[in-house]
Every structure is written in C-alpha cells, then in structure tokens.
Amino acid sequence: MRSTCFFYLLHFVVLVLLSVSLVQAEDAYKYFTWTVTYGTLSPLGSPQQVILINGQFPGPQLDLVTNENVVLNLVNKLDQPFLLTWNGIKQRKNSWQDGVLGTNCPIPPNSNYTYKFQAKDQIGTYTYFPSTQLHKAAGGFGALNVYHRSVIAVPYPYPDGDFTLLVGDWYKTSHKALRESLDSGKSLAFPDGLLINGQSHTSINGDQGKTYMFRISNVGMSTSINFRIQGHTLKLVEVEGSHVIQNIYDSLDVHVGQSAAVLVTLNQSPKDYHIVASTRFSRRILTATAVLHYTNSHSPASGPLPSPPTYQYHWSLIQARSFRWNLTANAARPNPQGSYHYGKITPTKTIVLANSAPLINGKLRYAVNKVSYVNPDTPLKLADYFNIPGIFSVNSIQSIPSNGPASVATSVLPTSLHDFIELVFQNDENSMQSWHLDGYDFWVVGYGFGQWTPAKRRIYNLVDALTRHTVQVYPNSWTTILVSLDNKGMWNLRSAIWERQYLGQQLYLRVWNEQQSLYNEYNIPSNVLLCGKAIGHHL
C-alpha cells in the first residue's frame, strides 16, 4: 500500500514539475542588440540618407511567441535623440516601455537604452517605428509578428509559409528637410513614391497548391493603400491581433498605421502574377509592385496590373463594416475568459474628439478639440511619478469639441482605471484621418458620414465588432470606438498620419487610480533615462 501511494505521489510531483517547466519554456526571454545608424540607399532610384537598424532597411523582423519577454538593447548612433515605439503591443501595466516622448526620454546620440517588455496575451501582426521627430520618414521601421503558443489554437489551418509586406509612401527629401518644412508652418508635399519592404519592386516565391499568409502593414506617413494580387483572392483572418470572420476579398484597403493578415492559396496555373499596392483617395496614384512567383513557373507576369476599386470612400466604409470579430476563436484577445460582453456595458464616459487644422501664430498646426499638443522637455510619465508640477494639466483639453480659438498645450485627459469609455472621432475635414491608441485595443462599433449625435448609437455593432489599435475616419465623417481602460498608465492617443502627429494632433490619456500596487502597474525601470526636470530625481 505504501509503495502504491509513493508511486502516485512521485507521479504527481513529476507532472507538477513538468508543467512548471513547460510554462517557463512558453514564457521565454529573447535578447537583442540593435544599432541604429544612417546609411545611403536608393529606394526610389536616387541615393538618399536612410535610417538602418543593424544595417537593415527596413529594420530586422521581430518574431515573437505570445507571452515571450523581450530584452532589447537599442544603441543610438544617429546625430539626434531617438526612440522606437512598438505599434500595437499593449505593454500591460508597463507604459514605461512604450517608447514615445510622453513616457520615455529619448536616447541621446552615442548612447543606449534597454527595452524590457512582454507580448502579453497577444497574437497578430504589428510593427515598430521611430516615434521621435520625423525619423519615420527615413526608415527605422520594421515588422513585429506575434505567433500563437502551442497550447492555443488559431482558427485557420497553419499556412505553408508566412510573408510580411511593409507598405508605405516615401519621400526622396531627407527627414531633416521635411521637419524644417513643418517647423516653418508648411504642410508636406505629396509623397514621391510607394515602397513594399523598402523597394518599389520585389518578388515572393511560393509552391502551386499551397496556402500562404500575407501580413500587410501600412507603415507610411500619410496615405491609405489598397492591396491586391492578380488572379487571387484574399481570405482575411486577422486584423491587428483580432481574429475575424474569414470573408473573401478581391482587394483590401489598409489605412495608415494599420495591419491585416490574409491567406492566399496558389491555386492558379503555374506562372507569375502581379502583386500591387496603390494609394487610395489621392489625385495622383502611386503604385508599388511585387511578383508572386510560382516555383514551377516558366512565364513572367503578364497583362495589366489588377485594377483598384472603382468607388472611393463609400466602398471603403462598406468594406470596413464587413470586418467582424470571430467570437469562436480560442486565441489571445481582449477578455479571453468571456466574463463580459462589450455590447452590454454602459460607458462611464463619452469623449468626442474633433480634429482641425488651425493657424496658430501664423503657422499651420493640427489640433484636437482646438488644442494642439506640444511635447514638454520632461516626459509626462516621469512628471507624474516624481510629482513635478507645471509639466501638464488635466484641464488643458475638454472631452467635447470646443468653439473657442485654437491654442497649444500639453493635452492630457484624466480617466480612471477600469472606466469603460465611448470615444467618438469627429472628422470635419475633407481628408482621411487615422487614429491610434497605445496600451490598448478597442472595439470599433460604428462608422458614419456627417456629424455624430447620440442617435447614431442605433447603428452601432454591439455584437461582433472587431478589436484593433488603429482606426480610420473618413472625410466629413465620424468613427466610434469602445475602450475598457484596464491598463494603468500614461497612454498616447495620436494621429497615425505623421505630419499631423508632429504638429499637434495627439494627446494622452492618464489612466489612473490611487492604489500603488504591482497588481496595477510595474515599478519604474531601474535603467530609466532621465531628462528635463526629472534630472536629479532618485528612483
């Protein structure tokens, strides 16, 4: 009897130890050292200065598995301070690592900073890029893909291959000259070209009969793009970490800052086919192409390039409304336990944000509710932590549009941890807008033309709206999102159109409660960089 009991006890101990080791293996650490330098390349045919990471343009692809921890030492060899932000990574309880000027001091030239963050409970297609100045116009961006753990299924057969396509508009003008133009009060000219993975022409190889995942991200400065493949359809499976109902599309609109993943089956005759990305909603159409090469092909791509959608904003809006959340997917996503449903919660607060393009002191600025954001010399997060007065005020911007004159301020909206907010983006301009929120993904519940009113709630999707981190707002239109503010910190809400972000179309949400606990937020990093009025303060 004793031997039997001992056997079962030993068996139990072995199982416990094995399960612990498996958990530890799933939550592995990955270590990187990235060095940022200038280099000379010719993305559009003429030599120009670009930003390289470890000598690469675009930067290295960062491939992670859900819940892996990243320890990344970033060495800045530029002649200007520099930061990277991890677009779409939620930085749970950890806005210290967000990599924007409201949370981090920029890394000085010939210095370094080590980011430490976890891809917590996320699966999907993301990117990283420079958040400082106009560095994004010179490069420094790259792909960040988070794959599922072995114990979590994804709602589609595992593809035979995985291709990442970073698509974006591009200027031949240097980022320093572009910045000088904005500082002088001038808007940027229309971009000079469109690139796919840093090139205007590239190729992708695949085997006939196999199915491949294409991860498409718009890493550009200002322009929506449309993506399509000659003779092939696109099965949409994931949008910025949200697994979606798998509708079939001939082409997809991807707006600035957004990402999507599609499955493409190579089920055509063995030849080469055109892959096309072109700008949307612009008088002048920019196009970048790639070749989809069947490995058994003996024929080059032929025929005209596949055409973009004939219709404009209304077509795009209808397509956007067709993106629906896959409620049966057993994968990392908001509220994976299903303990609540977003459509049954009454928001604690409604915030309406209207963008505008005022002249302030004779120069072009961009504003939110008539306030144009300016970066202080001290990050807001450090000012909050060290109780440094005079850096920002939570009364600097209102939560509804203002009719007063435009002004500049360091705009911060106060919110409480665990608020559930309704956030309406009102676009009264004739141009496309794109909005991104750090620290979260959110439910996109409504799009509409004209002015938003409370009556528009009747057309919200409160059943299966997808979650994402960046959403478009069509000209003279509105878009509504719902956000569960369960991630304490100081979080940047910004235009993804970089000229607008640089000239003030952004603000911060201060998600706060009085309880200081590791349950709510991690401690300040021991290697934190100090600048501005935070210099001299002790951790």
Side-chain angles (χ1 to χ4, degrees), residues 115-174:
Y115 291 90
K116 299 176 183 178
F117 63 88
Q118 185 181 27
K120 179 68 174 170
D121 293 338
Q122 291 184 262
I123 299 170
T125 304
Y126 309 99
T127 57
Y128 64 85
F129 61 83
S131 63
T132 39
Q133 301 180 25
L134 264 288
H135 291 136
K136 187 181 180 184
F141 51 76
L144 198 170
N145 299 326
V146 183
Y147 295 88
H148 70 290
R149 296 192 296 163
S150 58
V151 296
I152 298 177
V154 291
Y156 48 81
Y158 204 69
D160 296 298
D162 196 311
F163 303 117
T164 296
L165 301 178
L166 302 175
V167 185
D169 49 32
W170 188 257
Y171 289 89
K172 294 180 180 179
T173 307
S174 76

Side-chain angles (χ1 to χ4, degrees), residues 313 317 355 425-433 447-452 456 473-479:
Y313 299 119
L317 183 147
N355 52 267
F425 299 107
Q426 179 66 52
N427 178 17
D428 295 325
E429 298 182 66
N430 291 321
S431 60
M432 283 291 300
Q433 304 293 317
Y447 299 94
F449 294 113
Q451 289 289 315
W452 179 87
K456 303 295 186 181
V473 192
Y474 295 94
N476 300 298
S477 299
W478 56 269
T479 298

Side-chain angles (χ1 to χ4, degrees), residues 34 50 71 104 106 189 191 203 238 252 255 365 426 439 455 481:
W34 286 2
V50 299
V71 180
N104 296 83
S203 62
E238 178 254 324
L252 281 178
H255 306 280
R365 297 286 302 183
Q426 179 66 52
I481 66 174

Side-chain angles (χ1 to χ4, degrees), residues 62-81:
L62 187 56
D63 288 332
L64 305 174
V65 172
T66 300
N67 288 358
E68 283 188 334
N69 297 276
V70 175
V71 180
L72 190 149
N73 180 30
L74 188 67
V75 182
N76 179 19
K77 292 294 185 179
L78 305 184
D79 57 355
Q80 296 176 326

Side-chain angles (χ1 to χ4, degrees), residues 8 130 328 377 422:
Y8 281 114
T328 64
D377 61 354
E422 176 187 38

Side-chain angles (χ1 to χ4, degrees), residues 331-404:
R333 61 182 186 180
N335 183 35
Q337 296 81 18
S339 56
Y340 67 85
H341 189 278
Y342 75 94
K344 297 181 179 180
I345 301 174
T346 301
T348 54
K349 181 184 295 186
T350 295
I351 299 172
V352 181
L353 300 178
N355 52 267
S356 58
L359 291 178
I360 300 178
N361 296 325
K363 292 185 178 181
L364 173 67
R365 297 286 302 183
Y366 295 104
V368 185
N369 289 359
K370 294 296 180 73
V371 180
S372 185
Y373 183 89
V374 289
N375 282 302
D377 61 354
T378 308
L380 313 180
K381 187 66 180 169
L382 294 181
D384 222 8
Y385 180 81
F386 291 120
N387 293 314
I388 303 172
I391 305 300
F392 69 89
S393 168
V394 294
N395 298 316
S396 55
I397 186 172
Q398 301 303 308
S399 58
I400 57 173
S402 167
N403 293 321

